[in-house]
Amino acid sequence: MTILRPEQERIKQSTREFVARNIIPRAAEFDRSGEFHPYLLDEARESKIFAMAVPKEYGGLDYDSVTQALVLEEWGYGCAGMGTTLAASILSMDSVLVAGTDEQKRRYFTPMLSARIGAFGLTEPGAGSDAGSGKTTAVKAGDDYLLNGSKCWITNGAVATVYVIYALTDPSKGVKGLSAFIVERDRPGFTIGTVDHKLGIRSSNTSELLLKDVRIPAANLLGKEGDGMKIAMKTLDLARPAIAALSVGLAQRALDECVKHLQKRFPDKPQPGQTLQFKLADMAIQVEAARQSLHHTMELRDSGAPFSKESAISKTFCSDVAMSVTAQAVSLMGSHGYTSELGKYMRDSKIMQIYEGTNQIQRLVISRAVLTPAPAAVSTLKAGE
Ligand SMILES: Cc1cc2nc3c(=O)[nH]c(=O)nc-3n(C[C@H](O)[C@H](O)[C@H](O)COP(=O)(O)OP(=O)(O)OC[C@H]3O[C@@H](n4cnc5c(N)ncnc54)[C@H](O)[C@@H]3O)c2cc1C
């Protein structure tokens, strides 16, 4: 178990109370209707939780990485769809944190202080795992850029105020011609296409974005032309642990609900039979190991040490755990599992293995890191020792 500081305990507890009051009671309703939940933004305004990753100098809460993970775990526990809304907004902010100027950060982060949200637009119909093969372009026009193209499956797409959009400034250079831009919602020519119906995280909004001659000032370019892929990769390194945190919350919730059910289902026995006990123990082991992998990544992130491999490991491990534990919980609860809200946790878990880079792609990243020889350690041993 990570030993939390008193301030982290306090934030975890107050988040748990917020989730119990505002998220858990309405999660099933929004799952059924597949609707986004603007009420939640109103509820969250006072706590400034949508600005938890915004640095102090821009008026945000400036939570350290472990604390952000604690908050996201609680939101994932309550409803992974609503948790995804928060995580995706932070994902878009991460691009600005990575490459934004002081003025761009102030501009992008200010709406988050009053619970407005952002979106991150990288994926296109022909460019998912291979993010560099997108077709959206940004052509220089005097002091402006004109953006044309489309993005698909963008979380918060229809409900964000500000966006980070990736587009090719030089298509002839392929991935080296990709650049990142801040795009405000109210720019003429920027419209919302299809809003997606989904298997899980149904309370989050996922939409297509259409860009037709969207004019934005050159001041909205993040970094330099051609920096896009570098910014996107650094952004995803920073952001993947958020998916790990939602996954831990999902797995913990499924375990807790399963335990509650089994205690009711077998009231005559102080404990269910040994087979069930062992299965519950294995689920608890997985949840705790997932949480530790996540916290380790977050501690590395705050220490300034490299954490790209650990970010991929924790995203992959925690989401695989969420899938496995939620499916196991359904099995252990029999038909009650299949017909109750447990099914939602299983459906919500699936996307954790897909978005922000599929777990197959993460395994490529991890294997590359494992296969790359680490720099030779300086040995203090003398010959013969
Ligand atoms: C609900 C939801 C929300 C999303 N939110 C966002 C968002 O906010 N912003 C955004 O930009 N995108 C978002 N996405 C898109 C998501 O990140 C991509 O869908 C994902 O990266 C996978 O891309 P793809 O669907 O095109 O799959 P593909 O790239 O077509 O992959 C299909 C399968 O092939 C495997 N595969 C592909 N290439 C390789 C390879 N080289 N080696 C081994 N296996 C491989 C993949 O792992 C996968 O199993 C979202 C998607 C969904 C469904």
Side-chain angles (χ1 to χ4, degrees):
M1 288 268 281
T2 310
I3 311 291
L4 300 179
R5 295 195 310 270
E7 179 64 357
Q8 290 173 322
E9 278 292 358
R10 187 192 64 72
I11 291 167
K12 180 174 144 177
Q13 193 49 40
S14 66
T15 308
R16 186 164 288 181
E17 286 160 16
F18 177 87
V19 167
R21 215 173 35 248
N22 297 300
I23 295 186
I24 291 179
R26 302 193 69 181
E29 169 196 343
F30 288 113
D31 178 54
R32 268 193 302 278
S33 66
E35 275 172 18
F36 176 68
H37 38 83
Y39 88 93
L40 189 62
L41 303 183
D42 296 334
E43 296 297 334
R45 187 159 295 133
E46 202 187 327
S47 71
K48 277 199 183 175
I49 207 66
F50 279 86
M52 74 170 169
V54 173
K56 271 239 157 50
E57 62 262 43
Y58 304 104
L61 297 178
D62 204 10
Y63 284 174
D64 63 75
S65 299
V66 172
T67 307
Q68 288 185 41
L70 296 171
V71 169
L72 284 160
E73 179 185 334
E74 294 301 326
W75 278 56
Y77 189 95
C79 172
M82 301 193 197
T84 291
T85 303
L86 173 58
S89 186
I90 294 173
L91 163 69
S92 78
M93 285 169 36
D94 283 337
S95 289
V96 183
L97 276 175
V98 163
T101 60
D102 188 52
E103 184 277 327
Q104 287 172 329
K105 287 178 184 161
R106 193 163 304 286
R107 203 146 44 91
Y108 201 88
F109 298 156
T110 298
M112 315 299 162
L113 306 181
S114 49
R116 276 176 283 156
I117 53 180
F120 170 87
L122 178 64
T123 306
E124 297 189 17
S129 300
D130 184 9
S133 55
K135 301 239 177 310
T136 298
T137 55
V139 174
K140 199 84 197 269
D143 286 341
D144 298 331
Y145 284 95
L146 281 181
L147 269 61
N148 279 286
S150 68
K151 298 283 166 184
C152 60
W153 299 315
I154 304 306
T155 304
N156 299 341
V159 293
T161 307
V162 275
Y163 300 73
V164 171
I165 300 287
Y166 288 80
L168 291 164
T169 36
D170 187 348
S172 71
K173 290 190 181 155
V175 72
K176 290 199 172 135
L178 192 67
S179 304
F181 296 91
I182 294 174
V183 180
E184 297 85 357
R185 174 76 171 90
D186 51 6
R187 295 266 166 202
F190 185 24
T191 54
I192 307 304
T194 312
V195 174
D196 297 298
H197 291 277
K198 305 187 288 292
L199 175 70
I201 58 161
R202 287 169 50 76
S203 60
S204 67
N205 170 271
T206 315
S207 318
E208 192 183 17
L209 306 178
L210 308 173
L211 301 121
K212 186 150 184 3
D213 290 331
V214 177
R215 185 177 285 276
I216 54 166
N220 282 20
L221 171 69
L222 289 168
K224 298 192 299 298
E225 283 191 12
D227 281 352
M229 191 45 106
K230 224 168 37 189
I231 296 171
M233 292 305 113
K234 280 193 181 168
T235 297
L236 289 166
D237 275 351
L238 277 174
R240 281 188 184 115
I243 306 308
L246 295 178
S247 300
V248 173
L250 265 168
Q252 184 68 62
R253 180 72 183 277
L255 176 59
D256 288 355
E257 296 298 332
C258 184
V259 167
K260 263 194 253 165
H261 173 80
L262 291 175
Q263 284 170 337
K264 264 203 231 140
R265 175 81 177 80
F266 302 105
D268 303 336
K269 299 182 187 166
Q271 298 291 335
Q274 198 179 61
T275 311
L276 284 182
Q277 286 178 29
F278 282 8
K279 285 194 168 145
L280 289 173
D282 283 340
M283 289 157 78
I285 290 167
Q286 287 186 68
V287 174
E288 197 48 46
R291 185 177 289 119
Q292 292 314 309
S293 153
L294 166 63
H295 288 186
H296 171 62
T297 305
M298 291 317 220
E299 278 163 359
L300 275 181
R301 190 173 109 164
D302 280 342
S303 75
F307 67 100
S308 182
K309 180 181 76 176
E310 288 74 12
S311 173
I313 288 175
S314 62
K315 190 268 183 187
T316 308
F317 183 59
C318 296
S319 57
D320 284 353
V321 162
M323 198 66 247
S324 149
V325 167
T326 54
Q328 183 67 266
V330 169
S331 297
L332 292 188
M333 289 169 59
S335 291
H336 186 82
Y338 195 73
T339 56
S340 71
E341 211 174 307
L342 257 284
K344 165 176 160 24
Y345 310 146
M346 205 173 104
R347 287 185 282 108
D348 287 354
S349 293
K350 191 64 215 172
I351 190 63
M352 305 292 151
Q353 296 177 308
I354 297 173
Y355 60 8
E356 296 204 16
T358 67
N359 283 6
Q360 289 85 354
I361 296 297
Q362 300 316 303
R363 286 185 165 87
L364 286 180
V365 171
I366 296 161
S367 64
R368 256 183 237 131
V370 168
L371 291 166
T372 307
V378 179
S379 174
T380 52
L381 288 182
K382 297 191 189 90
E385 279 182 328

